[in-house]
C-alpha cells in the first residue's frame, strides 16, 4: 500500500467540536473498493450513510509518532455505482488527547484532528485502479459531536446542521503509517438493565448487573432541543446512592440534545467503565427497556474456562474474565473508568499469564510489545506506561519495566512462535543492560528508590500505597528473572548469551548471600518463585507461617500476589494456597465477591466491611491485577501448564492439585492443537481425574508421572 493521499484538517479551529470530513463522488461499477484510512484522533467513517466496518476507536493506540496504524476496509458493498456517493468521517480526540495521563504532550497529541484516507476502486475487468484521496477537494464541517473525550464523555447535538467548508492540506508525516497489527475493537456484548430504581438521594438509576467497559445506547421520543443526560458509576455508596468520586477528574458523562421524534443514539468514539447509569435528564417517561449497555473491547477469541463446585469461586472466575474484557481495549490498561486508563507495564506483566489462558492474546500483546520497544529509551529504560503519556523520563522501575522480558517470554511459551522473541530480543536485552547501568551494587539491583514497590500491599501503614517489602530485595529478584529470560530467549534464538548467563549466576549467588531474612509474604513469595532462596523449604515454611499467623489471610500487593499461591504449592503447602483462595473474609478474592463484585478490584478493601470505601483517590473496581490468581487455578489447581521445550502446547504438563474443600474443578484450554481439559472430582474420599489432551502430555497425579500420547484419560 502506497500513500498518495495527504493529511487534511479544518482550515479554522473548531475548538472542542469534532470535525466531520466529507467527499462526494461518482463511480461506475467496480470489482472491488478498498478504503485505507487513519486519523490523528479516533475516527468513524460512513459510506452512503452506512458505517464502514465494525472497528470502534480506530485507529487504536500506539506510539503514534513512530507507529500509527491505518485500517483497510472492503467497502464494495456500500458503494452505489453510477450515482453520487457520500463518504463521511468524524474524528474525535480519542488517545490523541493531551489530557491523557499526566499532561505529557507528545508531538502527535498536539497535531490538529486530521484525516488521511485513500479509496481504491478496482475496475470490473481489473484493467485499472482509480484512487480517490484526501486532498483540498474534501470539505469539513463542525459536527454534531460538539465534545468528545475519553475521560469526560461526550455531548452530541442531533439538531445541529452540518455546514461544510474548506479543508487545508496538512504537512504531517506519513512514514509512521503501518497496517493494522492488533485485534480490532468491537461492540461485543449487549446487556439490558436488571433493575431500575430511585436512590435515597432521589436519583433515577439503571443497574446493568455487570461492571463493564463500553457505553449505553438508548431510544427516546422527544421534541427538538430536549436533553438526555447520563452519568456513569461502578458502585453505589454505603447509603445506596450513586458514587463517582473514584473517577477522580474524569466526568464520564453523556449529554444528548434531541432532534424531534423517535430516535436511537449509540456513542462510538469514547467509552466508559460502569455498571450503573444515572439518568440526570430524560424527556418523558423512562422505560428501562429503552437502554442497552454495550460492552466494547478488543475482539479476542476466548480460549480458557474454569468452573468448580463453589459458586463464589465461579463468580470470581467470571469477574476475572470481565476484568480482562474491560481492560483489553486495544492496549492492556490498568482500569477503564477514571482519569487513567493507561498501559501500565506492571499491571500487564502481573496479569499476562492469566490473560494467555483466558483469551488468545498473541496478536494483542505483540502489537503492544512493539510499542513498548518503540517507547523504550536508548539506554533501555522502559516507561511506566506504554504508550508513554506520563513524562518523557518516567519509568525504569522493577516489576513494571520487567514487562519487557516477562510478556514476550510468556507469549512465546503460550503460543510457541519464536518470532516474538526475535522481535523483542533487543528490547529485553536493553532492559537488563539498563538495570546493570543504574544499579548501585554489582549483581544486585539497589537504589530504585522511586519504584512502586509491592503496590497496594497491606503490610505497611494504612495510608501507604507502597507495601513494606524491601525494594532492593524485590528489585534484585526481578533483575535475576529478567536476566534469566534474556538467556532463555537468547538460547531459543541461538544467540551467544554467555555474558548474560554469567550475569545471572552472579546475581543468584549475590542474592543468596545478601538476602537471607524475609519479612513479608511478598518477599518470601518472590524469592521462592524466582528460585532465589538459599534455603527454599525454610522460606516456604516461613511463608506458610506468615499466612497462618495472619488468620489464613494474605497481605500481598501487585508484586507478590501473582506468585503467592505458586510459592506455597511448589513447596508442599498447597493446602495453605487453598486457604487463601477459599478465604471469604477480608482481605481475599472471595471477600470482593461476597461484597457483590462483578469485576476484580484494585484494592483488597475497595469497599470495606462497614460499607465505606477506601480513599476515592485510588479505588478502581475494575483493575485486573489481582485476577492473576486465575493462572494458579489453571496451572496448579487444574494443573495445565505449557512447557518450555515444546511451547505453544505442542506438549503439555498436567499436574492437578485437588483440595477436599472443593467437590470438583474443571479447566479447559483451547490451543491450536485442540482442547486440553483437566477435571477432578471428590468421590467418597477418593479423587477421580479426567484428562483430555490433543498432544503428548506429562501427567502427574499424586506424585506419579505418566508420559502419554494424545487421548482421553481417567485416573
Ligand atoms: C495505576 C496502577 C499502576 C500504578 C503504579 C496506578 O495509578 O492505576 O495500576 O500500576 O499506578 O504504581
Amino acid at each position: 500500500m502506497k500513500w498518495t493521499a495527504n493529511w487534511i484538517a479544518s482550515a479554522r479551529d473548531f475548538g472542542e467540536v469534532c470535525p466531520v470530513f466529507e467527499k462526494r463522488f461518482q463511480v461506475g461499477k467496480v470489482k472491488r473498493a478498498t478504503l485505507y484510512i487513519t486519523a490523528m484522533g479516533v475516527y468513524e467513517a460512513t459510506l452512503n450513510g452506512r458505517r464502514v466496518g465494525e472497528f470502534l476507536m480506530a485507529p487504536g493506540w500506539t506510539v503514534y509518532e513512530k507507529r500509527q496504524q491505518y485500517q483497510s476496509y472492503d467497502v464494495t458493498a456500500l458503494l452505489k455505482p453510477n450515482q453520487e456517493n457520500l463518504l463521511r468521517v468524524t474524528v474525535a480526540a480519542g488517545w490523541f488527547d493531551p489530557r491523557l495521563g499526566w499532561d505529557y504532550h507528545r508531538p502527535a497529541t498536539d497535531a490538529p484532528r486530521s484525516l488521511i484516507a485513500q479509496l481504491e476502486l478496482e475496475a470490473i475487468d481489473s484493467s485499472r485502479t482509480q484512487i480517490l484521496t484526501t486532498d483540498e477537494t474534501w470539505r469539513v464541517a463542525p459536527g454534531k459531536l460538539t465534545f468528545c473525550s475519553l475521560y469526560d464523555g461526550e455531548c452530541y447535538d442531533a439538531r445541529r446542521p452540518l455546514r461544510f467548508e474548506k479543508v487545508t492540506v496538512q504537512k504531517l508525516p506519513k512514514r509512521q503509517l503501518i497496517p493494522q497489527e492488533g485485534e480490532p475493537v468491537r461492540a461485543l456484548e449487549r446487556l439490558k438493565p436488571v433493575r431500575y430504581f430511585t436512590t435515597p438521594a432521589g436519583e433515577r438509576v439503571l443497574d446493568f448487573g455487570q461492571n463493564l467497559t463500553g457505553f449505553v445506547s438508548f431510544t427516546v421520543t422527544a421534541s427538538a432541543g430536549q436533553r438526555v443526560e447520563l452519568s456513569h458509576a461502578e458502585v453505589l455508596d454505603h447509603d445506596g446512592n450513586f458514587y463517582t468520586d473514584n473517577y477522580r477528574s474524569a466526568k464520564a458523562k453523556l449529554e444528548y440534545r434531541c432532534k424531534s421524534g423517535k430516535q436511537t443514539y449509540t456513542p462510538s468514539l469514547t467509552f466508559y467503565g460502569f455498571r450503573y447509569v444515572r439518568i440526570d435528564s430524560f424527556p418523558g417517561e423512562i422505560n428501562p427497556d429503552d437502554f442497552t449497555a454495550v460492552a466494547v473491547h478488543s475482539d479476542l477469541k476466548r480460549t480458557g474456562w474454569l468452573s468448580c463446585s463453589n459458586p463464589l469461586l465461579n463468580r470470581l472466575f467470571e469477574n476475572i474474565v470481565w476484568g480482562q474484557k474491560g481492560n483489553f481495549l486495544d492496549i492492556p490498561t490498568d482500569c477503564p473508568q477514571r482519569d487513567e486508563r493507561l498501559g501500565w507495564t506492571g499491571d500487564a506483566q502481573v496479569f499476562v499469564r492469566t490473560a494467555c489462558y483466558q483469551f488468545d492474546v498473541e496478536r494483542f500483546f505483540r502489537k503492544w510489545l512493539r510499542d513498548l520497544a518503540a517507547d523504550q529509551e536508548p539506554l533501555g529504560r522502559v516507561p511506566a506506561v506504554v504508550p508513554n503519556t506520563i513524562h518523557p523520563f518516567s519509568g525504569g522501575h522493577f516489576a513494571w519495566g520487567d514487562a519487557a522480558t516477562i510478556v514476550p517470554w510468556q507469549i512465546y511459551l503460550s503460543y510457541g512462535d519464536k518470532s516474538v522473541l526475535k522481535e523483542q530480543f533487543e528490547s529485553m536485552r536493553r532492559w537488563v543492560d539498563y538495570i546493570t547501568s543504574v544499579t548501585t551494587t554489582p549483581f544486585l539491583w539497589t537504589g530504585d528508590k522511586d519504584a512502586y514497590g509491592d503496590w497496594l500491599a497491606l503490610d505497611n501503614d494504612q495510608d501507604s500505597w507502597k507495601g513494606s517489602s524491601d525494594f532492593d530485595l524485590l528489585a534484585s529478584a526481578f533483575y535475576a528473572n529478567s536476566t534469566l529470560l534474556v538467556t532463555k530467549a537468547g538460547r531459543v534464538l541461538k544467540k551467544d548469551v554467555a555474558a548474560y548467563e554469567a550475569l545471572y549466576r552472579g546475581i543468584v549467588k549475590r542474592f543468596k548471600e545478601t538476602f537471607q531474612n524475609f519479612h513479608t509474604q511478598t518477599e518470601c513469595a518472590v524469592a521462592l518463585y524466582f528460585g532465589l532462596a538459599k534455603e527454599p523449604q525454610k522460606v516456604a515454611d516461613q511463608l506458610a507461617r506468615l499466612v497462618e499467623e495472619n488468620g489464613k489471610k494474605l497481605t500481598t500487593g501487585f508484586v507478590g500476589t501473582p506468585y503467592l499461591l505458586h510459592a506455597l504449592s511448589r513447596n508442599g503447602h498447597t493446602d495453605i494456597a487453598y486457604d487463601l483462595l477459599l478465604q471469604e473474609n477480608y482481605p481475599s478474592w472471595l471477600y470482593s465477591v461476597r461484597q457483590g463484585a462483578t469485576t476484580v478490584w484494585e484494592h483488597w478493601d475497595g469497599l470495606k466491611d462497614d460499607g465505606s470505601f477506601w480513599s476515592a483517590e485510588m479505588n478502581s473496581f475494575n483493575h485486573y491485577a489481582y485476577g492473576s490468581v486465575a493462572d494458579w487455578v489453571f496451572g496448579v489447581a487444574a494443573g495445565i501448564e505449557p512447557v518450555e521445550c515444546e511451547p505453544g502446547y505442542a506438549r503439555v504438563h498436567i499436574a492437578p492439585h485437588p483440595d477436599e474443600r472443593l467437590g470438583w474443578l474443571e479447566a479447559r484450554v483451547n490451543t491450536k492443537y485442540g482442547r486440553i481439559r483437566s477435571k477432578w472430582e471428590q468421590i467418597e474420599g477418593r479423587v477421580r481425574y479426567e484428562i483430555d489432551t490433543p498432544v503428548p502430555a506429562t501427567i502427574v497425579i499424586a506424585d506419579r508421572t505418566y508420559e502419554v500420547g494424545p487421548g482421553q484419560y481417567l485416573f
Side-chain angles (χ1 to χ4, degrees):
M1 150 73 192
K2 190 171 163 10
W3 282 100
T4 50
N6 281 309
W7 288 100
I8 55 170
S10 59
R12 63 184 180 93
D13 186 6
F14 290 172
E16 287 181 330
V17 180
C18 299
V20 179
F21 296 89
E22 76 160 34
K23 176 74 186 173
R24 291 170 192 269
F25 60 95
Q26 291 259 350
V27 279
K29 243 178 142 25
V30 298
K31 186 170 166 196
R32 192 194 327 276
T34 311
L35 178 66
Y36 299 93
I37 179 170
T38 191
M40 300 261 179
V42 290
Y43 70 83
E44 178 173 54
T46 59
L47 182 53
N48 298 321
R50 287 161 67 194
R51 192 179 207 279
V52 173
E54 295 178 338
F55 196 148
L56 292 172
M57 305 300 291
W61 197 5
T62 48
V63 175
Y64 293 128
E65 295 86 15
K66 294 183 183 164
R67 309 165 12 82
Q68 174 168 355
Q69 299 182 126
Y70 63 83
Q71 284 72 40
S72 45
Y73 302 96
D74 182 344
V75 292
T76 322
L78 302 182
L79 272 187
K80 292 197 250 165
N82 305 316
Q83 292 176 49
E84 186 180 75
N85 286 274
L86 174 58
L87 177 59
R88 277 194 174 155
V89 187
T90 303
V91 180
W95 295 290
F96 280 77
D97 190 343
R99 175 150 145 63
L100 286 196
W102 279 262
D103 275 326
Y104 168 24
H105 289 252
R106 302 184 63 128
T109 56
D110 285 338
R113 300 282 87 82
S114 311
L115 173 73
I116 190 164
Q118 203 157 302
L119 180 61
E120 303 199 354
L121 305 154
E122 199 184 323
I124 283 288
D125 59 2
S126 307
S127 59
R128 61 189 201 98
T129 299
Q130 187 191 343
I131 302 182
L132 222 125
T133 61
T134 38
D135 58 19
E136 65 290 338
T137 66
W138 283 56
R139 295 163 67 74
V140 64
K144 296 176 196 286
L145 198 53
T146 54
F147 174 80
C148 187
S149 100
L150 293 190
Y151 292 163
D152 296 328
E154 64 168 271
C155 306
Y156 188 92
D157 190 342
R159 303 164 307 171
R160 216 174 135 96
L162 296 180
R163 295 205 175 85
F164 286 90
E165 47 190 84
K166 273 205 213 129
V167 297
T168 62
V169 170
Q170 296 280 320
K171 278 209 178 61
L172 289 166
K174 291 186 252 178
R175 59 176 180 279
Q176 78 282 18
L177 300 180
I178 53 167
Q180 170 71 21
E181 289 182 352
E183 305 279 6
V185 173
R186 296 198 170 112
L188 290 161
E189 277 169 76
R190 276 156 216 283
L191 285 81
K192 280 295 183 190
V194 294
R195 197 158 71 102
Y196 170 55
F197 60 100
T198 305
T199 67
E203 305 152 310
R204 299 176 295 175
V205 172
L206 294 165
D207 174 5
F208 288 95
Q210 174 61 53
N211 198 14
L212 58 89
T213 303
F215 39 70
V216 171
S217 169
F218 57 88
T219 300
V220 59
T221 305
S223 41
Q226 286 188 300
R227 277 171 209 271
V228 176
E229 285 175 298
L230 306 178
S231 299
H232 301 74
E234 292 184 290
V235 286
L236 303 175
D237 73 9
H238 192 27
D239 304 316
N241 292 319
F242 203 70
Y243 179 80
T244 56
D245 291 358
N246 67 325
Y247 284 44
R248 304 196 304 215
S249 73
K251 295 194 188 77
K253 287 191 184 274
L254 177 135
E255 195 184 306
Y256 177 82
R257 284 291 204 113
C258 304
K259 56 189 178 189
S260 90
K262 189 173 175 186
Q263 54 215 282
T264 295
Y265 183 69
T266 309
S268 63
L269 293 169
T270 186
F271 61 86
Y272 309 81
F274 66 100
R275 168 177 169 170
Y276 299 94
V277 164
R278 185 178 66 204
I279 304 171
D280 299 318
S281 4
F282 198 82
E285 222 174 283
I286 293 167
N287 175 5
D289 213 40
D290 288 334
F291 297 82
T292 307
V294 182
V296 173
H297 53 91
S298 289
D299 195 355
L300 307 168
K301 201 153 154 216
R302 180 90 183 259
T303 52
W305 292 264
L306 291 172
S307 53
C308 69
S309 54
N310 178 328
L312 291 178
L313 269 186
N314 285 337
R315 183 65 235 193
L316 173 70
F317 301 152
E318 270 303 293
N319 294 359
I320 297 170
V321 169
W322 272 104
Q324 181 163 358
K325 291 185 204 171
N327 284 297
F328 277 50
L329 201 157
D330 206 56
I331 64 151
T333 57
D334 55 336
C335 58
Q337 74 300 75
R338 69 175 177 223
D339 51 358
E340 231 167 315
R341 316 184 191 189
L342 306 175
W344 281 97
T345 48
D347 306 41
Q349 170 276 110
V350 162
F351 190 69
V352 66
R353 283 174 304 280
T354 292
C356 290
Y357 279 117
Q358 297 191 140
F359 288 89
D360 180 348
V361 292
E362 185 177 18
R363 258 181 82 174
F364 176 89
F365 268 117
R366 289 191 68 166
K367 161 182 168 283
W368 183 72
L369 283 169
R370 290 179 199 131
D371 288 301
L372 183 149
D375 254 351
Q376 195 171 3
E377 285 173 50
L379 288 179
R381 173 156 53 183
V382 175
V385 297
V386 170
N388 191 3
T389 57
I390 295 193
H391 186 273
F393 307 113
S394 83
H397 301 306
F398 72 82
W400 269 251
D402 295 279
T405 54
I406 293 173
V407 176
W409 182 253
Q410 188 59 44
I411 296 300
Y412 168 68
L413 255 190
S414 292
Y415 303 103
D417 182 351
K418 62 179 161 203
S419 66
V420 64
L421 298 180
K422 200 165 165 218
E423 253 178 60
Q424 296 301 131
F425 187 76
E426 270 310 293
S427 157
M428 297 171 78
R429 188 187 62 70
R430 281 199 294 134
W431 168 243
V432 170
D433 291 353
Y434 168 76
I435 304 170
T436 306
S437 75
V438 294
T439 180
T440 51
T441 315
F443 296 112
L444 294 177
W445 183 3
T446 55
D448 186 14
K449 286 202 272 320
D450 297 327
Y452 305 113
D454 188 18
W455 189 245
L456 308 184
L458 300 171
D459 49 20
N460 212 341
D461 299 341
Q462 249 287 307
D463 301 327
S464 171
W465 289 336
K466 303 185 181 187
S468 68
S469 292
D470 183 60
F471 277 23
D472 291 345
L473 184 155
L474 297 183
S476 299
F478 276 90
Y479 183 24
N481 181 58
S482 278
T483 307
L484 177 65
L485 295 182
V486 167
T487 67
K488 286 184 180 186
R491 283 198 293 271
V492 171
L493 300 171
K494 303 199 164 50
K495 285 184 187 286
D496 175 10
V497 282
Y500 292 93
E501 286 166 344
L503 174 62
Y504 177 64
R505 285 193 300 272
I507 301 172
V508 174
K509 181 164 175 285
R510 201 63 191 273
F511 189 100
K512 289 183 178 173
E513 288 161 8
T514 312
F515 302 109
Q516 297 188 9
N517 296 312
F518 301 91
H519 304 95
T520 63
Q521 294 180 11
T522 289
E523 289 179 7
C524 297
V526 167
L528 287 166
Y529 188 85
F530 292 143
L532 297 167
K534 191 167 174 215
E535 295 174 279
Q537 197 54 55
K538 229 176 98 185
V539 181
D541 296 346
Q542 183 196 347
L543 175 58
R545 224 171 28 248
L546 285 174
V547 173
E548 297 246 44
E549 284 166 9
N550 195 42
K552 302 193 174 181
K553 289 172 181 171
L554 51 74
T555 56
T556 49
F558 279 30
V559 171
T561 301
Y563 308 131
L564 181 61
L565 272 51
H566 290 280
L568 289 162
S569 57
R570 278 184 194 176
N571 296 285
H573 294 293
T574 305
D575 53 333
I576 311 258
Y578 271 104
D579 284 342
L580 292 168
L581 181 69
L582 297 170
Q583 176 62 258
E584 293 182 18
N585 294 318
Y586 166 79
S588 69
W589 286 277
L590 295 187
Y591 167 75
S592 69
V593 175
R594 279 206 306 112
Q595 294 284 333
T598 59
T599 36
V600 177
W601 297 351
E602 177 176 26
H603 273 266
W604 294 116
D605 54 352
L607 180 59
K608 298 188 183 185
D609 250 335
D610 65 3
S612 65
F613 292 116
W614 204 85
S615 134
E617 226 177 313
M618 191 74 77
N619 201 14
S620 144
F621 290 92
N622 195 356
H623 242 68
Y624 54 51
Y626 292 148
S628 56
V629 69
D631 108 63
W632 186 85
V633 181
F634 276 107
V636 180
I640 301 173
E641 285 233 64
V643 292
E644 286 183 14
C645 58
E646 288 181 66
Y649 296 99
R651 160 174 276 283
V652 62
H653 188 261
I654 306 176
H657 287 69
D659 185 272
E660 279 170 4
R661 287 163 284 181
L662 271 185
W664 61 272
L665 179 123
E666 179 175 21
R668 287 174 291 148
V669 179
N670 283 355
T671 72
K672 63 170 173 268
Y673 303 99
R675 170 173 295 183
I676 301 168
R677 187 174 77 95
S678 167
K679 180 178 180 183
W680 49 257
E681 197 174 353
Q682 313 276 353
I683 303 173
E684 291 163 10
R686 300 183 59 189
V687 186
R688 173 195 156 95
Y689 299 85
E690 290 172 32
I691 290 173
D692 303 346
T693 172
V695 291
T698 304
I699 299 176
V700 186
I701 304 256
D703 291 333
R704 279 191 58 189
T705 301
Y706 308 83
E707 298 295 345
V708 302
Q712 301 189 322
Y713 300 91
L714 249 184
F715 296 89

